[in-house]
Amino acid sequence: MPGGRLTQQERQQIALGLADGLAYAEIARRLDRPTSTITREVMRNGGPTAYRADLAHRATERRAHRRRQAAPRGAEAHPQAYGRDPEAVRAYEETLTTVFMQSGTPQMMARVMACLTVSDAGSLTAAELVQRLQVSPASVSKAIAFLESQDLVRRERDEGRRDRYVVDDEVMYQAMMASVRATAQVAETARQGVGILGPGTPAGTRLENTARFLDFVSESLARAANQAREILHSKPGTTSGDTAASSSHRG
């Protein structure tokens, strides 16, 4: 399997594959590259509908130049713990950012989320995020505000009275519940439209079906998230039956 950065010829093949409607996995197979490499390349260079090989190649060269300039403050300033390969960690953080973006998270917010997720402490200050991501304080502040509004990060004060932004084992649960609330709100709004447009009318029926569908989805998602949280966060050696029996005994 070829290693290193994508060549300009490979980027041209990616562009041709996208134009032909090929999936990322198929493009990756033809180039003998990991699918994650193709996904990351496309998402960071305009997405599947705006990807251009020449622009992507120049953008990659500019990013590589900036990384070389920032190296004294970047990788050398933050040696990796546990004997990790710094380049592999950096590449994985970019992949994770791409996945977050594909799920609908804006780019800067996705970068902050990925940076927090791969940190062992699971928390960083705004100044640490600015240094690690090489972006402006305003960009970090805007990203944090968005992530807090989605319950994806929480704010804590450390001993130095500095705000620290935290992700933990609850982050996926909080993300799922935020999705549940948003879906339930769409369902309720659709249900309001039935009364305005009239039950039994084509538009009213469409909205009623939408509301029923979204009610079912949000309720199922909430139930699954709560069950997963209970099972995965239970103490070792404790089963759901033990938990239920204990709760019954206390009752």
Side-chain angles (χ1 to χ4, degrees):
M1 179 179 292
R5 294 192 179 92
L6 291 165
T7 66
Q8 188 162 16
Q9 290 73 24
E10 286 178 314
R11 290 190 168 93
Q12 290 170 350
Q13 291 300 311
I14 291 172
L16 290 172
L18 293 172
D20 290 340
L22 298 181
Y24 294 153
E26 176 60 21
I27 296 173
R29 187 188 66 78
R30 294 186 180 191
L31 293 177
D32 195 20
R33 291 277 191 169
T35 302
S36 60
T37 297
I38 307 305
T39 303
R40 184 169 63 247
E41 166 71 14
V42 174
M43 291 304 296
R44 75 188 306 185
N45 290 292
T49 60
Y51 182 84
R52 284 184 55 186
D54 54 342
L55 295 180
H57 196 69
R58 287 200 292 270
T60 300
E61 290 180 336
R62 287 195 299 270
R63 284 193 293 265
H65 179 67
R66 286 199 299 268
R67 278 200 295 269
R68 286 194 295 269
Q69 289 182 320
R73 293 188 297 164
E76 294 181 10
H78 299 284
Q80 290 294 323
Y82 305 104
R84 294 169 179 146
D85 178 354
E87 181 64 20
V89 173
R90 183 195 63 77
Y92 174 73
E93 187 172 328
E94 289 186 358
T95 299
L96 188 59
T97 298
T98 299
V99 171
F100 286 150
M101 290 169 61
Q102 286 181 307
S103 71
T105 305
Q107 182 178 19
M108 191 66 240
M109 292 66 171
R111 292 189 67 197
V112 169
M113 191 68 184
C115 189
L116 287 168
T117 300
V118 303
S119 67
D120 283 306
S123 70
L124 295 167
T125 64
E128 289 169 335
L129 286 166
V130 166
Q131 185 178 23
R132 288 170 183 251
L133 298 175
Q134 295 294 294
V135 296
S136 69
S139 296
V140 168
S141 178
K142 182 178 179 181
I144 288 294
F146 172 86
L147 293 171
E148 282 188 302
S149 74
Q150 300 298 308
D151 292 326
L152 292 175
V153 302
R154 72 173 190 275
R155 188 186 305 242
E156 292 182 351
R157 283 290 180 93
D158 63 17
E159 294 179 356
R161 305 294 294 171
R162 297 173 303 177
D163 284 335
R164 299 192 69 86
Y165 304 104
V166 182
V167 296
D168 55 25
D169 292 342
E170 288 279 280
V171 64
M172 285 298 103
Y173 173 77
Q174 296 295 346
M176 290 298 99
M177 296 311 292
S179 178
V180 167
R181 291 190 293 272
T183 302
Q185 181 62 49
V186 175
E188 178 58 28
T189 302
R191 192 171 292 105
Q192 292 171 4
V194 176
I196 295 172
L197 297 169
T201 66
T205 300
R206 185 181 308 114
L207 287 170
E208 176 62 27
N209 289 337
T210 298
R212 292 174 60 195
F213 175 82
L214 294 178
D215 279 340
F216 184 88
V217 169
S218 61
E219 290 169 6
S220 299
L221 184 58
R223 183 164 55 251
N226 283 314
Q227 288 174 345
R229 185 192 196 195
E230 180 181 351
I231 293 170
L232 298 178
H233 290 190
S234 62
K235 295 180 180 179
T238 300
T239 65
S240 57
D242 293 334
T243 303
S246 176
S247 299
S248 176
H249 179 70
R250 286 194 301 268

